[in-house]
Amino acid sequence: MLDNLEWYRVFYKIAITGSFSKAAEELYITQPAVSYAVKQLENRLGSKLFFRTYKGVKLTHEGEVLFRYIEKAYHFIEAGEKEIASIHELHSGEITIGASDTLCKHFLLPHVERFHHDYPFVKLRVTNRTTQETIDLLKQGRVDFGIVNLPIEDKQLQVQEALELQDTFVAGKDYLALAQAPITMERLITYPLLLLEKGSSIRRYADSFAEARGVKLQPEIELGSIDLLVDFARIGLGIAYVIRNFVSPELASGVLVEIKLKERIPPRQAGIVTLKGVPVSAAANRFINMLLPEKHSIK
């Protein structure tokens, strides 16, 4: 049996086509079902909605009044469907992303440029925060997804690895002699160290690596960004702990030299976090797939 909303749908199609049989064809239902829907609707409203002519059926006065409202409703429904389709086709929509300054500049930015080129009508908003602050924003619903340093242990989050990061120590040209052969951690800490401020995931990783080898890192200077560490190292103020992936041009040009350790720093991961059980928009899903390695992409 057709429900009440279907009765109005049948009514609209009859009014447009002027025929019970044509309405049945367009709705893929039987003609008796169409007649039944009209009868039920007329009984509900207490009014006759159609009268027959030799060319088909026409609206009564009451039918014309109802049609004016139903027509508006259908236009709104069609507009809503088109808007949803447009979002799924990425002709509109908005994505809000949380990421640290470093990951934003060196990892996210090239993908933002590519996505904007491919889908220029999707608005992109990027909020620069630390890993923990990004997670907090995600849980508050203020970002669609976050790009963070891993590991993250949180049962509320869906975590997907996106990029392997290799940390290292670098310095300016004044330290060229020290860069000729790997050195021990004990020797490294005799030089001025440049580290990120405490609280950052990169700093925790560096401290953990050193402490596991019985060494405590005591920085000469603490800064708030990797880019500043690179600048301070470049002018000879000390040895900086940075992400090797993001200083390859400086190392290749000789602006910086790598101070290698006898025991290699284990690689770590950057990843994408979303809330478990909360679906992301079509646009955000497309962007996430762009960020993920092919083997991890969401199909």
Side-chain angles (χ1 to χ4, degrees), residues 234-280:
R234 180 175 50 79
I235 62 175
L237 293 182
I239 300 174
Y241 184 85
V242 300
I243 302 170
R244 195 184 196 285
N245 311 53
F246 304 150
V247 296
S248 296
E250 290 84 352
L251 291 173
S253 67
V255 171
L256 293 176
V257 295
E258 185 172 11
I259 310 300
K260 295 181 180 179
L261 298 177
K262 288 188 174 181
E263 187 171 355
R264 180 172 175 261
I265 302 171
R268 55 190 180 84
Q269 297 284 333
I272 297 165
V273 289
T274 54
L275 287 176
K276 281 184 179 177
V278 179
V280 298

Side-chain angles (χ1 to χ4, degrees), residues 2 10 28 36 61 66 83 130 140 166 169-170 176 191 201-202 224 228 231 240 248 259-260 264 274 284 286:
L2 297 170
V10 169
Y28 300 100
Y36 175 82
H61 173 70
L66 180 63
E83 182 67 18
T130 65
Q140 294 165 18
Q166 180 60 61
F169 288 93
V170 298
L176 183 59
Y191 295 91
S201 57
I202 301 175
L228 283 175
D231 289 338
S248 296
I259 310 300
K260 295 181 180 179
R264 180 172 175 261
T274 54
R286 186 69 59 87

Side-chain angles (χ1 to χ4, degrees), residues 7 15 31 43 46 79 102 105 116 140 142-143 147 161 165 176 197 207 223 233-234 271 274 277 284 290 296:
W7 298 346
Q31 191 166 334
N43 289 340
T102 303
K105 176 180 177 180
H116 179 67
Q140 294 165 18
R142 294 170 61 186
V143 297
I147 303 173
E161 294 180 352
L165 300 175
L176 183 59
E197 297 168 340
D207 286 339
L223 296 167
R234 180 175 50 79
T274 54
M290 184 181 289
H296 294 308

Side-chain angles (χ1 to χ4, degrees), residues 276-297:
K276 281 184 179 177
V278 179
V280 298
S281 68
N285 188 61
R286 186 69 59 87
F287 200 116
I288 290 171
N289 278 333
M290 184 181 289
L291 294 170
L292 290 172
E294 187 173 347
K295 64 180 180 179
H296 294 308
S297 293

Side-chain angles (χ1 to χ4, degrees), residues 30-89:
T30 65
Q31 191 166 334
V34 169
S35 299
Y36 175 82
V38 172
K39 184 178 179 180
Q40 294 301 311
L41 187 57
E42 287 179 336
N43 289 340
R44 175 181 176 138
L45 299 177
S47 299
K48 194 76 173 173
L49 299 175
F50 297 100
F51 65 91
R52 294 187 179 278
T53 71
Y54 70 95
K55 291 184 178 181
V57 295
K58 286 190 175 182
L59 291 166
T60 64
H61 173 70
E62 290 87 347
E64 288 178 351
V65 172
L66 180 63
F67 178 76
R68 288 199 295 270
Y69 288 96
I70 298 300
E71 184 179 36
K72 290 177 182 178
Y74 260 82
H75 287 164
F76 279 117
I77 291 170
E78 289 175 354
E81 288 177 343
K82 287 178 181 178
E83 182 67 18
I84 294 298
S86 178
I87 290 171
H88 282 284
E89 293 168 4

